[in-house]
Amino acid sequence: VSVIFIQVSTILTGSLFIVIIAGMFFSFKGMDILNNIKYKQSHNQRVLDYYFNLLTEKYSLLELIVFKAKKFILKCRANEEKKIVRELFKKTIVAGMIYNLSTVIIVTWLVISLIYSSICLFNGEINIALFVVVVQSSITLLENIENLVYQLADVSRSMEVFKYYQKFISLSNKKENLYQSNDASLPPLGKNIIKFDHVSFAYPGADRNAITDISFEIQKDRKYAIVGENGAGKSTIVKLIFGLYQPQNGNVLVSREKIGVVYQDYMKYEMSIRENMALGNLDLLNNEKRIRQIIEENGGTDILQQVHSIDQKLGRVYSDSVDLSEGQWQRLAIARGIGSSKDFIIFDEPTASMDPIAESHMYETFYLKDNNRGSLTISHRMASAKQADHIFVLKDGKLYEQGSHDELMSFD
């Protein structure tokens, strides 16, 4: 095309390269903005999903009906949606204008070149044959540039994906504090399964530490408890044990593959009792006797009496399923954790929906039946920790005192 146009005008030919480069730049830039808008919508979508879940989930909807707050939540969601759509519309218009600017520049150049070629034809500077070739070349050039713009758009989309991938693979390697026996850089755990060594941690954006200079050791065959008021740092310790966060100072050494956990915010798996228990230990899948034994020992006799068999579905997903009360779901979650194949169990305040008598019975049963398996109980109730071999008391994010129940009671 350049060879053809240079016979008409060298200036026209030189400007062609400038136009193509400018067109490529604006098309790529516009598509880059559009792709950024797309990937940044994930946060907005989570906000909308949150309001949607409030309006559809069983427990939140019951409370909204009592408070007559459904219209308020609907209004909140509508306002959020309007704000998101308005912002998206503005950014999309700007991105579209930048993207289409490439087409405007190219078409403008083609119109000018055709007008200039027509003038040259009428002035006898070029013949009719060259003029026809110029027109045909202009049409071909426009089609090729349009194809190039679409290909650049695909490249831009791929670059956006690659950018996130590159960001991921370029993350600095953080030293994993999971204990490995062949890692010479870590001190040996010995009989311990968990070890905190002068650990301090603050949540992102917080102006103070959640825990400060915490040190303790936990052996795998003993029963421990961590007690303290709300906000003392108990749940933070559990998160650090399972690697959900990394401490700013100190070391957390854990044989994590040997540890199971029962959380306060447990999952309700709307499957059969058999499948629920197998999630914690696949060896239980074909052992109905053992499943019933574990559930009964943890106060779940009423759960077994409520279903036709341990293969009947729980929840509300299936038409013939049986829904459980909050306390029953919690006892099933505890039974699943206790029935797991792990050597050590962490109870992260899992008895919030249980009455004190049921809670006490659950811990008594575990301590008596699982003498060879260690545990760590997180609780703000001193009574639930009374039977532990060793108790850690947290206060304001610090290890305030520790010892057996009798030793703690004897302190001034």
Side-chain angles (χ1 to χ4, degrees), residues 220-223 343 367-374:
K220 63 182 180 181
D221 55 353
R222 300 190 68 198
K223 307 293 193 293
D343 297 334
Y367 289 149
L368 290 173
K369 297 287 184 180
D370 285 281
N371 288 324
N372 296 325
R373 185 160 57 160

Side-chain angles (χ1 to χ4, degrees), residues 271-292 294 310-311 313 339:
M271 302 182 289
S272 68
I273 292 176
R274 185 191 299 274
E275 292 165 330
N276 262 274
M277 296 298 292
L279 288 170
N281 185 355
L282 284 176
D283 292 337
L284 293 175
L285 191 60
N286 298 314
N287 194 341
E288 181 173 346
K289 182 179 179 181
R290 180 58 180 153
I291 289 174
R292 289 181 174 275
I294 295 171
I310 65 169
D311 293 311
K313 301 294 185 183

Side-chain angles (χ1 to χ4, degrees), residues 121-145:
L121 176 65
F122 284 117
N123 292 336
E125 296 175 10
I126 61 173
N127 56 38
I128 188 65
L130 181 57
F131 178 77
V132 171
V133 172
V134 167
V135 173
Q136 186 62 44
S137 298
S138 299
I139 296 172
T140 303
L141 181 64
L142 182 60
E143 292 175 350
N144 289 336
I145 290 177

Side-chain angles (χ1 to χ4, degrees), residues 312-379:
Q312 185 174 7
K313 301 294 185 183
L314 303 177
R316 296 192 169 213
V317 173
Y318 301 93
S319 58
D320 60 341
S321 58
V322 175
D323 200 9
L324 303 179
S325 68
E326 197 69 24
Q328 288 175 320
W329 277 115
Q330 194 162 42
R331 290 199 295 274
L332 182 61
I334 292 169
R336 181 170 58 245
I338 291 176
S340 70
S341 57
K342 301 297 184 179
D343 297 334
F344 191 91
I345 303 295
I346 294 178
F347 298 99
D348 184 13
E349 300 198 65
T351 55
S353 298
M354 295 171 63
D355 60 79
I357 295 175
E359 178 189 31
S360 178
H361 173 74
M362 188 276 291
Y363 285 120
E364 282 180 7
T365 302
F366 176 76
Y367 289 149
L368 290 173
K369 297 287 184 180
D370 285 281
N371 288 324
N372 296 325
R373 185 160 57 160
S375 66
L376 174 62
T377 301
I378 312 296
S379 179

